[in-house]
Amino acid sequence: MDILKKIQDHREHEEELKWEGTFAEYLDLLKERPYLAQSAHSRVYNMIKSAGVVEEHDHKRYKFFDEDIYGLDEAMEKLVEEYFHPAARRLDVRKRILLLMGPVSGGKSTLVNMLKRGMEKYTHTDEGAVFAIKGCPMHEDPLHLVPNHLRKDFQEDYGIRIEGSLSPLNTMRVETEYGGRIEDVLVERVFFSEDKRTGIGTFSPSDPKSQDIADLTGSIDFSTIAQYGSESDPRAYRFDGELNKANRGIMEFQEMLKCDEKFLWHLLSLTQEGNFKAGRFALISADELIIAHTNEAEYRSFIANKKNEALHSRMIVMPVPYNLKVSQEERIYEKMIRESDIRDVHIAPHTLRVAAMFTILTRLKDSKKASVDVLKKMRLYDGEILEGFSDVDVEELKKEHSDEGMSGIDPRYVINRISSTIIKKELTSINALDVLRSLKDGLGSHASISSEDKDRYLDFISLARKEYDEIAKKEVQKAFVYSYEESAVTLMDNYLDNVEAYCNKAKLRDPLTGEELNPDERLMRSIEEQIGVSENAKKAFREEILIRISAYARKGKKFDYQSHERLREAIQKKLFADLKDVVKITTSTKTPDEQQLKKINEVVATLIDEHGYNSSSANELLKYVGSLLNR
């Protein structure tokens, strides 16, 4: 579809969504759809919930955050359940500033942007529709028109509780433009837009000497004083501060704790009473979610200052730690690369995973359990199943350190080092070793890394390198075994024949001599030991295989090489162990013969076709694994 056609369709859709009518007509809408009168906090909560909620292992995953927030399901669950949900139910937490606290590049700004962009879209839906007094610069709730003495009756009739008072400007407009007839006041549907300053405000601190409180609360329009005769006439005031424009929606305070105190005191009344002071007017009602973000050092400094106690008591602090899952960290890097100019560079498989391993290791704290080292902890956090550990153990590990994930290497550092490697060496392809070298070289110039941390991080690079060595060997193992597919199938068939005879207490018949033979225990154990099946567990493992074969037979399906993941892994490892010498010779010889060259080409082709390598990275992998095997 042509882009101009899409723009036209969008414009037409916007026109269809528009609505305008009198206050009396708006009340008819409320009879049918009372949810239209929801508060700002309620609207945000319903927006998050409308994207879907998935229940997993006694936890809730809110799908709204899936697109851009990775590995922070529990932090997001806490945010929704402990702030947005109770605030939507008008509990006292809605009278608090939501302060997101976490390390740099941890996702705080991303989270706020998601909420703002989400609200812009949500107000275009029926469930998130927002109606306001037409012509009001603060998009005021039309229900503020209902006089205080009638609000109890209104609640009984409509089931809606009204909070807040009509603003000075609209009080005057009702009298001057509508002759006091509130039923005739025009109401329109509004759509939140940060660009158009509707329902979303953003305040960023600057030089305290030059920044004016008017940035928050609006200012007098001196050009109109002669016309209206007084500074206290609401028509002579610009209600264009960020607090005015964010009414009914979201107000973001960037780096809030860097703000001058005079800006923060305005928030005391706004959070607790739902109003703020502007110009020479009575208090102005505002319904908005105030969300701010800061890092831990600034927060600690803020609460240490006794003068800030009143404001501190009006905050709900939500930690936003770094992600602690390797697989999710990979997704962060993939996203950052997609959004960069290095997206066309070939990144060999497992490169980002190995970088993620290093990064996660820097964020983990040592467990109090002697049986759990950082590598085990890393694997358990990423959802791997390790023998002797359950979900309960993982939950206990997470409770050991409340501040785990609040320090360590940030994702930007990793992407910066990857970019630096590509640009400096003008590479078109990089692998895990390139990235690990670059991460190591950059530690000395990282401003916030102490010499003690640097030593620890160098150890983590070594650990990540060892993990990569195992991954690389397995990758080549799979590629070689793929080239020896027929041998793998033959070996498995032989194993299955012996397992069947063992479980049925039967004998095997030699196909050449016809001689009856006992099951080959040595062959079976040589395969089972590859995946850690102990002597005591061998009988249960073999019976499990036989049961699986029977289940396949009942369904009319053939049990083959791909039918049992653990058995396939065992066969591959056994075959690779037998082929190790072939691999060593094939990958390390400087002048391969015709047969060796053919084998190398087959393996390279498999790595390219089946595993995502290109020609350069596949050959580098083979050379590296050859050097590992020859040590």
Side-chain angles (χ1 to χ4, degrees):
M1 188 186 289
D2 183 82
I3 188 66
L4 293 176
K5 179 69 167 64
K6 287 184 178 180
I7 292 170
Q8 182 184 337
D9 290 347
H10 174 71
R11 188 166 56 244
E12 289 172 359
H13 179 62
E14 292 271 296
E15 285 298 319
E16 289 171 8
L17 290 177
K18 286 181 179 177
W19 183 93
E20 184 178 310
T22 63
F23 181 59
E25 290 169 328
Y26 174 64
L27 291 181
D28 290 337
L29 278 184
L30 284 187
K31 277 285 186 185
E32 299 170 20
R33 298 183 283 168
Y35 58 82
L36 294 176
Q38 63 190 319
S39 67
H41 290 83
S42 177
R43 194 174 289 108
V44 173
Y45 172 66
N46 288 327
M47 171 191 71
I48 293 169
K49 203 170 62 163
S50 69
V53 185
V54 180
E55 302 238 3
E56 299 172 332
H57 312 298
D58 297 326
H59 286 289
K60 288 180 180 176
R61 177 169 63 83
Y62 288 89
K63 294 169 76 173
F64 174 82
F65 303 105
D66 284 358
E67 194 173 326
D68 287 309
I69 302 287
Y70 304 127
L72 297 181
D73 291 346
E74 289 171 30
M76 294 304 100
E77 180 187 19
K78 184 179 180 184
L79 174 63
V80 175
E81 296 300 315
E82 294 187 15
Y83 183 79
F84 287 126
H85 191 183
R89 302 291 294 272
R90 298 180 185 269
L91 293 173
D92 214 45
V93 294
R94 75 192 173 101
K95 298 179 180 179
R96 306 287 182 272
I97 298 165
L98 174 60
L99 181 65
L100 305 176
M101 181 190 67
V104 295
S105 193
K108 302 183 297 295
S109 298
T110 300
L111 172 56
V112 177
N113 280 329
M114 286 185 75
L115 292 171
K116 292 196 293 188
R117 299 296 82 78
M119 284 302 283
E120 288 176 343
K121 290 179 183 176
Y122 192 59
T123 56
H124 283 75
T125 67
D126 178 66
E127 296 81 9
V130 182
F131 292 83
I133 295 173
K134 187 177 182 183
C136 173
M138 287 184 62
H139 337 292
E140 187 165 9
D141 187 346
L143 293 184
H144 286 180
L145 291 163
V146 177
N148 286 324
H149 67 279
L150 295 178
R151 290 186 176 184
K152 189 174 181 183
D153 295 337
F154 180 86
Q155 185 172 353
E156 288 174 4
D157 288 347
Y158 286 81
I160 298 168
R161 190 168 71 197
I162 302 172
E163 294 180 331
S165 303
L166 195 62
S167 66
L169 178 61
N170 285 323
T171 300
M172 177 174 279
R173 288 180 65 211
V174 168
E175 294 302 322
T176 58
E177 294 178 28
Y178 298 99
R181 291 177 56 82
I182 65 169
E183 63 270 33
D184 294 337
V185 173
L186 289 177
V187 174
E188 65 179 348
R189 183 172 179 180
V190 295
F191 305 100
F192 287 178
S193 167
E194 185 170 22
D195 293 339
K196 295 177 182 177
R197 303 187 74 217
T198 306
I200 296 174
T202 304
F203 183 81
S204 183
S206 60
D207 180 8
K209 293 177 183 176
S210 61
Q211 192 151 37
D212 191 346
I213 200 70
D215 294 346
L216 274 185
T217 60
S219 61
I220 297 167
D221 184 354
F222 289 102
S223 67
T224 61
I225 290 176
Q227 180 183 352
Y228 297 119
S230 169
E231 290 182 16
S232 60
D233 189 309
R235 292 170 297 179
Y237 196 86
R238 290 196 190 101
F239 293 91
D240 60 355
E242 294 303 319
L243 293 181
N244 306 106
K245 294 300 182 181
N247 187 33
R248 314 290 300 285
I250 295 174
M251 174 67 204
E252 177 194 6
F253 267 79
Q254 296 178 347
E255 302 297 340
M256 177 183 177
L257 302 185
K258 289 178 181 173
C259 285
D260 189 83
E261 287 178 6
K262 67 182 179 184
F263 293 95
L264 298 180
W265 298 130
H266 269 280
L267 303 182
L268 289 174
S269 174
L270 182 57
T271 51
Q272 193 64 40
E273 307 299 334
N275 52 45
F276 64 92
K277 192 81 172 76
R280 298 177 180 179
F281 308 116
L283 291 168
I284 297 173
S285 295
D287 171 29
E288 50 200 81
L289 160 64
I290 300 175
I291 185 166
H293 38 94
T294 189
N295 60 49
E296 193 170 6
E298 283 178 353
Y299 175 69
R300 299 295 170 207
S301 173
F302 174 78
I303 59 174
N305 186 345
K306 294 292 182 186
K307 290 198 302 183
N308 295 327
E309 282 182 352
L311 193 59
H312 180 235
S313 68
R314 287 170 171 80
M315 289 178 178
I316 294 282
V317 181
M318 283 290 166
V320 181
Y322 283 133
N323 156 60
L324 296 177
K325 296 178 180 178
V326 172
S327 56
Q328 296 299 309
E329 190 73 11
E330 263 191 283
R331 290 183 66 199
I332 294 172
Y333 301 155
E334 286 166 0
K335 178 195 167 193
M336 294 173 86
I337 286 168
R338 278 197 307 272
E339 295 170 351
S340 74
D341 290 336
I342 61 172
R343 60 185 177 274
D344 296 329
V345 173
H346 174 77
I347 298 176
H350 311 295
T351 298
L352 299 182
R353 182 167 186 80
V354 172
M357 286 179 182
F358 161 71
T359 312
I360 298 301
L361 287 170
T362 69
R363 298 171 185 172
L364 296 176
K365 293 189 178 288
D366 292 329
S367 173
K368 296 168 187 174
K369 296 182 179 181
S371 61
V372 181
D373 59 22
V374 282
L375 276 174
K376 270 186 186 170
K377 195 175 192 182
M378 178 188 79
R379 292 195 174 101
L380 287 167
Y381 277 14
D382 203 34
E384 285 188 42
I385 298 169
L386 300 184
E387 193 173 345
F389 293 94
S390 65
D391 291 340
V392 175
D393 296 311
V394 177
E395 291 301 318
E396 286 177 3
L397 286 173
K398 289 176 180 176
K399 290 174 184 173
E400 283 185 344
H401 302 281
S402 60
D403 61 342
E404 190 167 52
M406 297 298 279
S407 60
I409 292 290
D410 64 281
R412 285 188 195 132
Y413 172 75
V414 176
I415 294 300
N416 289 345
R417 295 312 303 165
I418 291 174
S419 304
S420 174
T421 303
I422 291 167
I423 291 163
K424 277 184 184 176
K425 299 185 178 179
E426 296 183 351
L427 298 175
T428 56
S429 171
I430 60 167
N431 59 34
L433 296 177
D434 294 325
V435 172
L436 286 176
R437 272 193 294 270
S438 185
L439 289 170
K440 182 180 178 182
D441 294 343
L443 290 177
S445 58
H446 197 298
S448 61
I449 295 178
S450 65
S451 56
E452 184 184 339
D453 282 340
K454 183 181 175 184
D455 291 339
R456 281 177 54 244
Y457 292 175
L458 288 171
D459 290 341
F460 293 146
I461 284 176
S462 298
L463 280 177
R465 168 76 177 266
K466 287 175 185 173
E467 289 293 298
Y468 175 65
D469 290 351
E470 291 306 309
I471 290 170
K473 283 190 276 189
K474 282 181 184 176
E475 197 83 319
V476 172
Q477 164 191 314
K478 278 193 235 172
F480 261 88
V481 170
Y482 185 85
S483 301
Y484 284 92
E485 185 80 24
E486 194 176 320
S487 303
V489 171
T490 302
L491 181 60
M492 193 184 79
D493 288 343
N494 195 1
Y495 173 78
L496 293 177
D497 288 343
N498 280 277
V499 163
E500 193 172 356
Y502 170 85
C503 291
N504 294 329
K505 296 185 171 54
K507 290 185 179 287
L508 292 163
R509 190 174 294 279
D510 190 300
L512 295 176
T513 64
E515 180 187 0
E516 287 193 333
L517 303 169
N518 287 322
D520 190 341
E521 186 65 25
R522 189 172 172 183
L523 169 73
M524 289 187 287
R525 291 303 294 141
S526 70
I527 290 169
E528 291 157 358
E529 284 169 351
Q530 301 295 330
I531 52 170
V533 176
S534 66
E535 184 70 26
N536 292 334
K538 70 181 184 183
K539 186 172 183 290
F541 181 76
R542 293 170 189 176
E543 287 173 348
E544 180 202 324
I545 297 291
L546 209 59
I547 290 167
R548 181 77 67 89
I549 293 170
S550 300
Y552 269 62
R554 280 199 307 275
K555 294 174 184 176
K557 293 164 66 179
K558 186 178 184 299
F559 186 92
D560 61 22
Y561 180 57
Q562 307 291 334
S563 301
H564 194 285
E565 183 64 35
R566 290 192 72 208
L567 178 57
R568 185 179 68 178
E569 183 188 350
I571 295 290
Q572 286 178 347
K573 285 186 173 180
K574 167 63 178 162
L575 191 57
F576 189 65
D578 296 342
L579 288 172
K580 254 185 185 175
D581 289 338
V582 178
V583 176
K584 281 184 191 178
I585 295 166
T586 308
T587 56
S588 61
T589 183
K590 290 181 180 176
T591 53
D593 60 32
E594 189 178 335
Q595 191 63 30
Q596 290 167 341
L597 196 59
K598 183 185 175 189
K599 183 52 61 183
I600 289 172
N601 290 338
E602 284 177 5
V603 173
V604 167
T606 301
L607 287 169
I608 294 170
D609 297 339
E610 303 292 327
H611 299 279
Y613 290 82
N614 66 2
S615 177
S616 171
S617 59
N619 280 292
E620 284 175 358
L621 178 72
L622 277 178
K623 285 178 190 172
Y624 181 64
V625 171
S627 70
L628 288 176
L629 294 174
N630 279 310
R631 284 176 190 172

